[in-house]
Each structure stands twice: as C-alpha cells, then as structure tokens.
C-alpha cells in the first residue's frame, strides 16, 4: 500500500490512510471524498479507493491539493474520522466502563466487509462484516479473525445453455484494503501451526474496519510446501481433508496470531462451527501451564460464545473421526487427554460415531450458545436436546439473539436523506429506538414514492449497464441479454428473489403453475416483473440445476423479458437489489432458514417483505408491514408445503400486492402501498438493526461472561 506515498501531496497526505480503513464505505461523506477525487476512476476502480489511488495521476492529486472545495471536504471528513476513531463517549464506554479487559475475538470463516475484499460467500459473511462495523460504531473493543483467500469466492457467469460457470480471480494485494502485519523486527509476522507431523507457516494480514481490526490468515508463505501454500486460497472447498486443514489453521492459528500480536481477548466468539478448534488451542494454553484438562475446559468455556447459524444437519461440518485423529492426535498429549476423550468432544452418538461434528465441539466447549432468531433458538434446542440428556427441551441451554443489519451499510443515500429530514438529523444515533420511527408517517407519500421510483430506476440502470457490457464484449447472444434483464421496465411492479440458490430456499416455487404466472406477468394493465439473482455452491449440482431452470425460463419468449436472472450476486449488486425492487420475496421450506437478513435490508429501505413465517419473519411480521406466505405450521409433507405455499404466493400477488401497488391517485401516487412501505420501515428498523443486535449481545452475553471469567 505504501508504494504510492511519493505522489500524494502532503496537504492531502492522509488520503492513503482513509482509503485503507473501510470506515469510508459506510460514511457517505467518506465516499464523497473519493468520488470528488476523480469520479471516473472511482467508478472504473469498482469503488475501490486503494486501487483508485494507485492509478490516479500525480497531476490530478496536485490539483485537488489546491482546490479549496475539495480541501474543505477532506478536512471535515478527516476530522469526523479522527473523532470516530478515538471517541471516548461511545456507547460501550458509557454503558460498560471497565467491563472488558481485552477485546472480543470474533472468529469467522468469512467476512463480507466490502466488495474489494471478496472473502465471503453469503449471509454468514455479511453478518460477520456487519457485526464488525457495528462494534466499531458502538466502541466495543473487538477484533475479527478469518482467512485471506487470495482466490476468494467465485464470480458467476451463465453459459448460453444456462449453466453456472465459476471463475476465480486472483486478488491483487496492492489493490486491496489490506496490509501485512509485521513483527517487532519489521519482518512479516509468521506463526506456526502443527499439521500432521509437521508445521505450517501462517502469515497475517490486517484489515481496518473503523476502530475494529480484522486479521486474516494466509498460508501462501515461502517456507510452506506448494500444496500448503494453496491451502488458504479458496473459501468452502469441497475436499474434506483440505477443509479440516483450513479449520485447524483458522482455529489454532488464529489464537496464535493474536498471541503473537500481544492481543489478550476477554471473550472468544465462535461464529459458526468452522472455527471451533480455537477452543482446543485455548485449552492447551492452560494445560501446558499445568492446569488439568477439566479445569482448563471450564475456564475456556466460561468466556467462549458460540453462534450457530444453520438448522440443517448437512450444513454443519462433520469430519470422519479417522481424519480428525490423524491431525489432532499430537494435540492430545499436550492437553492431557487420550484420543478417545478428544474424539468424544465432537461425537454426537458416543464412541462408535464415525463423525466428528464441529457444531457439537462448539456446543460442548462454550458456555454461551445462541441461535440467530427466536424461532431458530427453539429449533436449535430441539435439534441438540440429546446433548443434554434428561433436560426438557425448553431447558436446553441455547438462547437466541436475532440478527440485525448494519444500517449505514445497507441504507440508500436517498432514504438516508428522507430520514434526516423527517425522523431527525440524529436518526442514525437513535436507529434502535422505537419512538422516533412513528414519524415515518410524516413523510408525504409523494416524496417517498419519488424516492422509491428513483431507486427502481437505478436498479434497472445497473442491470442494463451489465447487459450492455456483456453485449459489447461479444460474449452473449440476444436470448441471453433478455434473460439477464435487458427488457425490464423501470415502471412495473418488480418482485425480487435474490439469495444463495439452495434447494431449501425453493427458487422455482413461483413457477409451479406456469400459466397462472404468465397471466400475472403479461397482464395488459397491471403487469409484474421478477428479478432473480444468486449463486449456487459449485459442488451443489441440484441447486445448479435450479439456476439453469430459472435462467431458461427468463429467456422464454412467453414471459416477454419480464423475468430476469442477474448474474454474479455479490454485495455490490445486493445494494441495488435490496434498495431498488418493490417487494422482497422469500419462500424457504419452514424451519430451515435460521434467520435471513436480506429481507431486513429491503424493509429498512421501504421494500416490504413477503415471506414464509420462518427465521426472523416469524417475529418480524405484524400483519401490516408485509405479507406472510402460507400456513404458520409446517405441513406434513414437502409436496403439501410446496402446493400450499405456491398457491399462497399467487393469491397474495393477485389479491393484495398487485392491486395495492397499482391503485394510484390522480398524481400517480399509490397511497396504500406507501402505507405498507412506511410500516415496514417503522417496525423493522429499530428491531432488526445491527445496533439492537450488538447492544443485546453486550447486555446478555458480555456482562455475564466477563463476570465469570477467570482470564
Ligand atoms: C444480505 C446478503 C445475504 C444474506 O441473505 P439471506 O438470503 O437473507 O440469507 C447473502 N448474500 C449477500 C451478498 C447479501 O448481501
């Protein structure tokens, strides 16, 4: 990153520092600095100021360094930045003075912080990124620990035949907001982790997220053998052994990296089971000092927090015990247990169990266990009740903290301005208070509608631009252009179905009765259009087939180009989609969606949610802020569930959504629709923002855990 210092004039010398702290990404005026610096480069660089600064000409920098308007903006943004970075009166310090002796160490396999760092696959990563940002906003001492995947997660293209193609782009570290962590001699910090009979070397990168640092482990280090160097290159590899090695490096190596940097966490957080080996390394730290295994496990467990994110058994990592033995046997000796005791930590069904389950390891070794929504808490207690024999289901010690979304990250700038005007200039500071949001009803319908239309147009603009790029490159036929949305219309009711393609999410449910859907799409007076987007896991053939099916239907002439599958869903596209469609459709099979957060992002932007009452919607739906699909209880069979829910989706569209959207006054304003949008904002914003989630985390987890803590 520092190779560009020579060309940055001293007067704006901190641009590099600002570019290398993702703080700018959730502060509109921070973004404004880079837009003003060079708008064309800003766009060309993919909104990546690190890259922008590398490419910008010295002359341009000289010019802005004497431009009074730019300097005014620059100075005030740097002052805001400094105030935020040092804030003494942040929420956490005011409410919990001296609570924590060290930070929360938050371990996660993926972090979605900004698109310039493609080290995430989906919702788990977005939650981790949103959590780091909110921790920074609240002043909670916090560090993240994850993996630097130089090849990241894949980019998605759809072939002419409709099949998903995956490409992995090598990340250019000079163009990413990361910097290498150095040791006291100025050399790259490298920690060693035992792997099989030998060691693997792990280097560390630092990402600055406001006040929070995220440390990313990287095995692409010269001392490592070639296959070891590749170990951290990709996210969610299908190969079991590679995956186990990755999780050992992340769990054990993460603890060692923190120690090597002199960081002494007060709380250790396991964000999903992938990272649970961290507890073994922590236990070993104690046993090597002569503490018994039982006592070490007690101490470690008292300050360990585990969040489980999936109610699907196949969603947890379960490794063959032979594999676990091969890698963890050397750890047994130093922990003072034998291999049977070690394996027992992850075996659900006793000594004969051939599977070592990471979720079970985490449940057994952490005293603080949480699901991610109220309903998911119930499901998790039922799912794991066998681990607490004799306990009633309601007594199983797994609670819940419902997820929330980081509002400054997901709110459209135009909505931000509306809220500043009608809720109050301090609306962001008061986002989790119920009271102020009653004022959302003060926003004139015409004004809200103007913004909603503008955001739909922006989405259509982004879709068209992508289609034009594909066309200009000569990569696609006209059929393909139609399928990716070239014929969408900026004024029609637009339904969004946007999520990771997985069978349980039922992306093709709305096609159950194709003729009925065609009537809705092709209605001469009140037509609808549907925008799909989402990636399938490369090894999940069943869900890849669903992508293909949707893509081919989108290309079907009978739908007139009003169904689109937009390629390569990522955080950047997610912004346009959650802000720009009119309704957000979600129809998973019941009890399989632990929480879901995309519907929250939509709702806070005035896009009502229409969903099965699963995950967060079970507690979020209030009868006036969106729609509930189908029965609340789970039907007996999948066939029955599909039939009932498809029928419900059609009838909600026909009876409720379409008439409400198209009933307009003489100026074209849909008052009923605006009421629904406002109620979505009023009810969802304070209850499902990351601020509420993190305050709840502090109140319910950190307070009690810190009191128990021995270290
Ligand atoms: C918010 C978000 C998700 C999570 O969406 P759900 O379908 O609600 O789980 C996944 N991917 C991206 C890019 C997101 O922004």
């Amino acid at each position: 990153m520092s190779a560009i210092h020579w060309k940055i004039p001293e007067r704006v010398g901190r641009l590099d520092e600002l570019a290398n702290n993702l703080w700018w990404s959730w502060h509109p005026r921070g973004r404004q600095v880079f837009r003003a610096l060079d708008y064309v480069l800003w766009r060309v660089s993919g909104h990546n100021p690190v890259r922008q600064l590398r490419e910008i000409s010295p002359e341009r920098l000289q010019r802005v360094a004497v431009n009074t308007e730019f300097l005014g903006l620059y100075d005030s943004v740097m002052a805001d930045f400094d105030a935020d970075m040092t804030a003494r009166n942040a929420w956490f310090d005011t409410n919990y003075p001296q609570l924590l002796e060290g930070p929360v160490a938050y371990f996660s396999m993926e972090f979605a912080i900004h698109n310039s760092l493609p080290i995430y696959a989906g919702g788990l990563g977005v939650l981790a990124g949103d959590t780091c940002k909110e921790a920074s906003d609240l002043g909670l001492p916090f560090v993240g620990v994850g993996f630097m995947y130089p090849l990241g997660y894949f980019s998605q293209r759809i072939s002419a035949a409709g099949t998903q193609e995956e490409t992995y782009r090598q990340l250019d570290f000079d163009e990413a907001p990361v910097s290498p962590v150095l040791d006291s001699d100025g050399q790259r910090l490298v920690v060693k982790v035992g792997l099989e009979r030998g060691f693997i070397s792990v280097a560390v990168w630092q990402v600055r997220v406001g006040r929070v640092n995220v440390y990313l482990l990287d095995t692409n280090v010269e001392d490592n053998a070639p296959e070891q160097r590749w170990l951290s290159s990709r996210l969610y590899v299908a190969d079991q052994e590679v995956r186990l090695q990755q999780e050992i490096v992340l769990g054990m190596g993460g603890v060692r990296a923190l120690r090597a940097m002199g960081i002494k966490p007060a709380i250790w957080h396991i964000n999903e089971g992938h990272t649970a080996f961290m507890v073994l390394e922590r236990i070993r730290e104690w046993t090597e000092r002569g503490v018994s295994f039982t006592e070490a496990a007690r101490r470690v467990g008292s300050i360990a927090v585990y969040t489980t994110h999936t109610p699907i058994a196949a969603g947890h990592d379960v490794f063959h015990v032979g594999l676990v033995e091969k890698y963890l046997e050397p750890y047994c000796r130093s922990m003072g247990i034998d291999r049977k005791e070690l394996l027992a930590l992850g075996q659900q069904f006793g000594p004969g169990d051939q599977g070592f389950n990471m979720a079970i390891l985490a449940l057994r070794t952490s005293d603080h266990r949480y699901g991610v929504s109220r309903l998911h808490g119930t499901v998790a207690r039922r799912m794991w009740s066998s681990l607490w024999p004799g306990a009633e289901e309601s007594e199983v010690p797994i609670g819940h903290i419902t997820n929330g979304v980081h509002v400054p990250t997901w709110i459209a700038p135009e909505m931000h301005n509306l809220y500043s005007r009608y809720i109050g200039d301090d609306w962001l500071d008061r986002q989790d208070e119920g009271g102020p949001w009653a004022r959302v009803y003060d926003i004139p319908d015409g004004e809200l509608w103007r913004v909603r239309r503008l955001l739909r147009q922006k989405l259509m603009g982004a879709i068209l631009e992508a289609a034009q790029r594909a066309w200009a490159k000569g990569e696609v036929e006209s059929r393909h252009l139609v399928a990716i949305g070239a014929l969408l219309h900026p004024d029609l009711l637009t339904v969004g179905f946007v999520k990771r393609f997985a069978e349980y999410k039922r992306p093709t449910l709305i096609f159950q009765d194709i003729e009925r859907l065609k009537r809705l799409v092709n209605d001469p007076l009140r037509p609808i259009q549907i925008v799909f987007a989402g990636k399938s896991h490369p090894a999940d053939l069943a869900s890849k087939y669903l992508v293909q099916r949707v893509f081919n239907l989108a290309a079907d002439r009978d739908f007139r180009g009003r169904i689109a599958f937009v390629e390569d869903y990522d955080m950047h596209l997610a912004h346009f989609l959650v802000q720009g469609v009119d309704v957000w459709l979600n129809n998973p099979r019941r009890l399989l969606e632990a929480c879901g957060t995309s519907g929250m992002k939509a709702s806070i932007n005035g896009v009502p949610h229409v969903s099965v009452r699963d995950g967060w919607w079970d507690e979020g739906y209030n009868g006036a802020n969106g729609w509930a699909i189908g029965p609340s209880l789970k039907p007996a069979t999948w066939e029955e569930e599909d039939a009932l829910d498809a029928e419900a989706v059609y009838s909600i569209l026909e009876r409720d959504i379409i008439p409400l959207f198209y009933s307009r006054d003489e100026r074209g304003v849909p008052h009923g629709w605006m009421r629904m949008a406002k109620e979505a904002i009023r009810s969802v914003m304070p209850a499902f923002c990351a601020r509420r989630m993190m305050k709840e985390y502090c109140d319910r987890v950190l307070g009690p855990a810190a009191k128990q803590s021995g270290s």
Side-chain angles (χ1 to χ4, degrees), residues 409-617:
T409 295
W410 294 107
I411 200 73
E414 294 82 356
M415 296 301 292
H416 191 314
N417 294 340
L418 266 189
Y419 298 159
S420 295
R421 201 139 16 104
Y422 291 97
I423 311 298
D425 274 335
D426 60 347
W427 75 269
L428 259 181
D429 298 330
R430 305 182 63 190
Q431 57 181 281
D432 58 330
E433 293 173 31
W437 292 101
R439 291 204 287 276
V440 80
Y441 284 103
D442 296 346
I443 304 176
D445 286 349
E447 239 177 283
L448 179 58
W449 179 237
R450 191 181 50 73
V451 169
R452 293 295 333 142
R453 289 187 60 198
L454 181 69
L455 292 171
R456 191 183 327 103
Q457 283 157 12
K458 278 188 158 181
L459 167 64
M460 297 308 163
I463 291 174
L464 260 191
E465 221 176 273
Q468 284 167 351
R469 268 199 307 274
W471 178 249
K473 277 196 208 152
E475 284 170 354
V476 297
E477 299 294 321
S478 52
R479 175 177 180 276
H480 193 116
L481 276 186
V482 171
I484 63 177
L487 294 182
L488 292 172
H489 193 286
D491 288 329
L492 301 191
L493 169 59
T494 305
V495 178
F497 186 98
V498 177
K499 45 204 81 235
R500 207 160 42 78
F501 267 47
E503 275 188 295
Y504 81 86
K505 295 193 183 239
R506 296 188 293 181
T508 56
L509 185 77
I510 201 167
F511 296 108
Q512 278 238 336
D513 183 343
I514 294 230
E515 293 310 316
R516 193 164 172 190
L517 182 62
K518 279 182 190 160
R519 285 198 294 279
L520 295 179
V521 167
N522 299 327
D523 187 281
L525 289 178
R526 305 181 309 180
I528 68 169
Q529 51 193 7
I530 310 176
V531 176
F532 288 86
K535 294 175 179 174
S536 297
H537 187 282
D540 180 356
L541 298 181
S543 85
K544 285 176 124 171
Y545 170 72
L546 296 174
V547 168
Q548 185 170 13
R549 174 126 195 268
V550 170
F551 190 87
N552 285 327
L553 283 161
D556 185 334
R557 282 180 202 280
D558 284 356
F559 285 114
R560 306 186 184 195
R562 287 180 183 156
I563 290 182
F565 182 94
V566 183
E567 294 165 304
D568 206 24
Y569 176 44
D570 62 8
M571 267 184 102
H572 183 60
L573 186 57
H575 277 99
F576 285 104
L577 287 160
V578 299
Q579 297 165 5
V581 301
D582 296 297
V583 282
W584 196 260
L585 174 62
N586 184 46
N587 49 232
R589 289 216 162 87
R590 281 166 189 71
L591 306 183
L592 296 182
E593 183 88 289
C595 180
T597 54
S598 56
M600 302 173 185
K601 300 171 196 164
S603 295
I604 63 171
N605 281 291
V607 175
H609 194 216
V610 49
S611 171
V612 167
R613 290 180 73 155
D614 201 16
W616 78 281
W617 199 230

Side-chain angles (χ1 to χ4, degrees), residues 84-85 87-106 130-144 209-213 266-267 269 690-691 693-699 701-703 706:
D84 256 20
M85 297 302 284
R88 293 265 168 272
N89 56 354
W91 177 85
F92 185 77
D93 290 336
T94 313
N95 288 275
Y96 288 102
Q98 285 109 37
L99 171 66
L100 295 181
E101 285 162 19
V104 175
Y106 184 88
D130 280 11
T131 296
C132 292
K133 292 171 187 169
E134 194 60 49
S136 173
D137 290 346
L138 288 175
L140 171 64
F142 199 91
V143 295
V209 186
R211 271 181 279 199
V212 167
N213 286 323
I267 300 286
H269 193 127
R691 177 143 308 172
M693 167 179 75
M694 291 307 283
K695 285 186 179 176
E696 207 178 321
Y697 179 82
C698 291
D699 295 342
V701 186
L702 299 192

